[in-house]
Amino acid sequence: MNNLNLGDEIRKLKEEKNAVIMCHYYVEDEVQDIADYIGDSFFLSRKATEIEADVIVLCGVRFMGESAKALNPGKVVLLPAEDADCPMAHMATVEAVEEMRKQYDDLAVVCYVNSTAELKAASDVCVTSANALKIVSRLSNKNIFFIPDQNLAHYIADQLPEKNFIFNDGYCHVHHTITKDAIVKMKEKYPKAEVLVHPECKPEVCAMADYIGSTSGIINYVKDSSNEEFIVVTERGVLYELGLQTTGKKFYTTQMAQVCPNMKKITLEKVYNALKNMEPKVEMPDELIEGARKPMEKMLELAK
Ligand code: 13P
Ligand code: SF4
């Protein structure tokens, strides 16, 4: 089947199974095209609590499917690419969390949603890149153990000097490998371009930014900006939505790859197969669902 036919077949199956398709901006363009809902991690989490359909097809990596399932235990959540997993989601341990709880009184364990359900269940509250600053600033705790991403942690810690941050050494390989030098080179080539950076990048890269924010934050910034050129420092999938939402603006990326290989595992064919066969499903024990849901719900509450 070609992509056009696949798109039609997916639409038919969606009706038949009473399903909705949710996509992150980092998936392939043709998959973004069939989304009912597309957004950043925060949007996808919040939206998952409002879905009335029986089935959610989550076009993203595993932690996104797990989050949707934890917030919707009664629904079927399909993850079209079963092996699409975020390496950073595993870059902290429950043992380290337990150890920190012994070492520090007045500790909040803050878990970036880009994490396994087990890590979420061991934490007090989840955050996304769009709401981390707001949520951490609303916590009464002085000590913050922020897992798993060191870069987002540093970005937030710098803005909240009254808190004592304990850092974990996880990182997103897509953002962490982008160098300051790569931005300097692009700036030399396009001096008028504004630099838009995702906070999963290293502090020295964030320091080069005109704007730092989540994928949705970057898109909104571009829409509101009178500038016409932008150096976009996040996964390149976001360029598709930027192109759709704007006219006449120019977008550049660095010479680095800026590609998340796991997000790119989701294809139209896999979405079609998932809906046709109703698998692979996200399955988790009830206890884990319950454990992961609590810090996610706390995030949704504190983000209001
Ligand atoms: P946001 O969706 O919060 O922008 O995060 C990007 C990301 O890395 C998702 O995997
Ligand atoms: Fe994980 Fe980075 Fe890919 Fe997001 S872009 S899913 S954080 S590896």
Side-chain angles (χ1 to χ4, degrees), residues 15-252:
E15 294 279 307
E16 222 175 85
K17 314 270 179 166
N18 190 22
V20 293
I21 298 180
M22 303 182 83
C23 287
H24 191 271
Y25 291 122
Y26 293 166
V27 299
E28 294 283 10
D29 304 354
E30 64 265 26
V31 180
Q32 295 191 36
D33 277 341
I34 52 144
D36 295 297
Y37 302 105
I38 178 156
D40 68 359
S41 302
F42 180 49
F43 171 84
L44 294 176
S45 302
R46 204 186 44 203
K47 200 80 211 165
T49 64
E50 298 163 4
I51 298 293
E52 285 180 5
D54 299 319
V55 180
I56 297 174
V57 184
L58 206 302
C59 298
V61 288
R62 175 157 295 276
F63 75 76
M64 295 178 170
E66 287 181 349
S67 300
K69 182 71 184 175
L71 291 165
N72 276 291
K75 293 196 193 303
V76 171
V77 178
L78 299 172
L79 197 65
E82 201 170 18
D83 60 340
D85 200 2
C86 167
M88 178 165 69
H90 303 268
M91 289 186 188
T93 63
V94 173
E95 291 71 32
V97 170
E98 283 163 0
E99 191 48 42
M100 286 307 161
R101 289 199 193 279
K102 278 188 216 147
Q103 276 186 43
Y104 290 88
D105 288 334
D106 191 26
L107 180 79
V109 179
V110 177
C111 187
Y112 190 26
V113 285
N114 300 33
S115 54
T116 60
E118 286 79 3
L119 284 173
K120 288 186 178 83
S123 303
D124 297 308
V125 62
C126 287
V127 296
T128 74
S129 62
N131 61 34
L133 180 61
K134 187 192 231 176
I135 287 177
V136 179
S137 70
R138 286 182 172 181
L139 297 175
S140 58
N141 313 72
K142 166 114 178 122
N143 299 315
I144 306 292
F145 183 34
F146 195 106
I147 57 170
D149 188 19
Q150 57 183 286
N151 291 325
L152 180 61
H154 278 285
Y155 172 63
I156 303 302
D158 286 352
Q159 296 171 80
L160 298 174
E162 68 278 19
K163 303 277 186 196
N164 175 42
F165 268 69
I166 303 132
F167 299 98
N168 175 74
D169 59 7
Y171 59 88
C172 159
H173 68 98
V174 181
H175 291 88
H176 193 71
T177 47
I178 300 171
T179 60
K180 179 182 168 187
D181 191 45
I183 318 281
V184 171
K185 284 202 178 101
M186 291 307 289
K187 237 352 227 182
E188 276 165 14
K189 215 165 160 190
Y190 304 105
K192 287 195 201 137
E194 285 189 285
V195 179
L196 315 176
V197 175
H198 195 283
E200 286 174 15
C201 292
K202 282 183 184 156
E204 71 211 49
V205 171
C206 289
M208 305 281 299
D210 294 293
Y211 173 78
I212 301 171
S214 76
T215 45
S216 294
I218 288 174
I219 293 165
N220 289 335
Y221 182 87
V222 168
K223 286 202 289 187
D224 292 345
S225 170
S226 55
N227 208 300
E228 289 185 350
E229 292 180 85
F230 303 89
I231 300 164
V232 181
V233 191
T234 186
E235 212 276 351
R236 56 182 312 121
V238 81
L239 296 176
Y240 186 56
E241 184 73 10
L242 283 170
L244 293 177
Q245 296 266 353
T246 57
T247 35
K249 301 205 177 201
K250 291 197 184 110
F251 304 106
Y252 314 111

